[in-house]
Amino acid sequence: MSKLFRAVIMGPPGSGKGTISERIAHSFGLKHLSSGDFVRENIAAKTEAGVLAKTYIKKGLLVPDHVMTRLLLPRLEEMTKYSWLLDGFPRTLAQAEALNSACDLDVAINLNIPLETLKERLQHRWIHPPSGRVYNMCFNPPHVQGKDDITGEPLIQQEDDRPEALVARLRHYKDVAKPVIDFYKMTEKAKGILYTFSDTETDRIWPNISTLLSTKISTIQSDARCASTH
Ligand SMILES: Nc1ncnc2c1ncn2[C@@H]1O[C@H](COP(=O)(O)OP(=O)(O)OP(=O)(O)O)[C@@H](O)[C@H]1O
Ligand SMILES: Nc1nc2c(ncn2[C@H]2C[C@H](O)[C@@H](COP(=O)(O)OP(=O)(O)O)O2)c(=O)[nH]1
């Protein structure tokens, strides 16, 4: 019998959540659920939550907690049969509390990357909006300059990745994220699930995350096997 595995990945914009989530999904077969993708899908489908969310994103703001949880928690309910990794949620204390009431997490990965590194990376981040594919002109450039590898369509730089908007955005992240980190440190139900990784390079963080998840997943599965034989 194999038990399902549930993880979240947190970190400031540019910390490598998307890049690492892809590697985790690929290596461990978890479903990668991205809050940004959910928001974009809802905007495209013009759902009530999507229409509301759009008004905030247009102003460069976070989507309010009640809209975000309304949009996300039903999606998690559809995932009860799968192991998943949630990227981009929770971002606020209220979201962490809502998630904590909805499910039991096994691991919360926290990426702690120096501010200078984040600024450097985001200045070079280009995306393909229809698919959400992310490139970095130094770390993982597209095959053809300025074009998506799969469709050949143009890449764009997001407004809020431009240098002028970056510092304020990163500062705001820190203020909002601190209570979330404290929540995972203090809350009884979540004790021992938080793991922080600090480095300037994804390729150095990745082996440590990979080892952590291998250990956690095999522990959970052997606990489930023991439980089913007793
Ligand atoms: N958990 C959340 N709470 C509030 N708003 C959210 C949340 N997740 C996504 N959003 C909204 O959707 C937008 C797109 O999210 P997404 O995570 O793709 O990009 P982002 O904010 O540029 O983050 P990052 O740079 O870390 O990838 C955000 O800017 C925000 O307005
Ligand atoms: N130079 C460099 N760039 C990196 C590294 N890891 C990720 N990147 C790039 C990929 C993206 O262009 C950008 C941000 O990464 P991301 O995975 O989109 O981060 P996030 O915003 O989802 O947290 O930085 C890395 O280790 N080195």
Side-chain angles (χ1 to χ4, degrees):
M1 178 188 162
S2 73
K3 190 188 168 289
L4 297 171
F5 184 77
R6 302 280 152 76
V8 295
I9 184 163
M10 302 177 293
S15 57
K17 297 181 298 297
T19 306
I20 292 172
S21 295
E22 286 304 324
R23 293 187 189 183
I24 293 175
H26 181 77
S27 301
F28 295 96
L30 307 182
K31 287 209 181 286
H32 172 202
L33 311 176
S34 149
S35 64
D37 287 350
F38 285 148
V39 171
R40 283 182 282 274
E41 280 166 29
N42 274 269
I43 291 176
K46 298 194 169 69
T47 64
E48 199 188 326
V51 171
L52 252 171
K54 191 173 175 181
T55 61
Y56 292 90
I57 293 186
K58 264 171 60 186
K59 294 185 206 142
L61 297 171
L62 284 184
V63 177
D65 292 328
H66 69 279
V67 179
M68 216 45 225
T69 45
R70 182 148 42 107
L71 200 143
L72 203 103
L73 295 183
R75 294 298 293 269
L76 295 185
E77 277 165 27
E78 291 166 16
M79 294 284 154
T80 48
K81 288 203 202 98
Y82 301 98
S83 292
W84 48 249
L85 169 73
L86 186 51
D87 159 16
F89 188 101
R91 268 196 201 188
T92 65
L93 178 59
Q95 293 178 12
E97 288 169 342
L99 185 63
N100 190 54
S101 305
C103 68
D104 292 339
L105 291 179
D106 298 297
V107 171
I109 296 168
N110 178 34
L111 302 176
N112 177 29
I113 312 297
L115 183 70
E116 282 309 310
T117 307
L118 299 174
K119 284 201 277 187
E120 177 63 27
R121 282 185 193 174
L122 291 176
Q123 284 175 36
H124 295 119
R125 177 161 76 174
W126 289 76
I127 61 160
H128 176 242
S131 67
R133 276 186 285 278
V134 175
Y135 299 87
N136 181 288
M137 291 312 162
C138 315
F139 181 67
N140 61 333
H143 298 316
V144 177
Q145 172 83 16
K147 301 267 197 266
D148 177 51
D149 285 350
I150 310 286
T151 62
E153 289 167 352
L155 302 177
I156 63 144
Q157 187 169 41
Q158 293 184 103
E159 207 53 60
D160 56 5
D161 280 351
R162 301 214 167 121
E164 317 80 65
L166 265 181
V167 175
R169 188 166 158 231
L170 293 173
R171 194 168 300 135
H172 177 67
Y173 172 84
K174 237 183 170 171
D175 293 343
V176 176
K178 170 100 179 33
V180 179
I181 303 299
D182 290 343
F183 176 82
Y184 285 122
K185 283 186 186 156
M186 320 282 252
T187 306
E188 198 52 47
K189 188 178 163 196
K191 274 231 167 95
I193 68 165
L194 182 71
Y195 292 82
T196 295
F197 297 89
S198 307
D199 206 300
T200 54
E201 290 299 326
T202 294
D203 287 346
R204 279 202 295 263
I205 288 178
W206 169 240
N208 299 329
I209 293 185
S210 176
T211 305
L212 168 73
L213 295 186
S214 297
T215 311
K216 285 272 178 185
I217 290 172
S218 59
T219 308
I220 282 170
Q221 295 192 338
S222 66
D223 285 354
R225 269 195 299 277
C226 290
S228 69
T229 55
H230 285 109

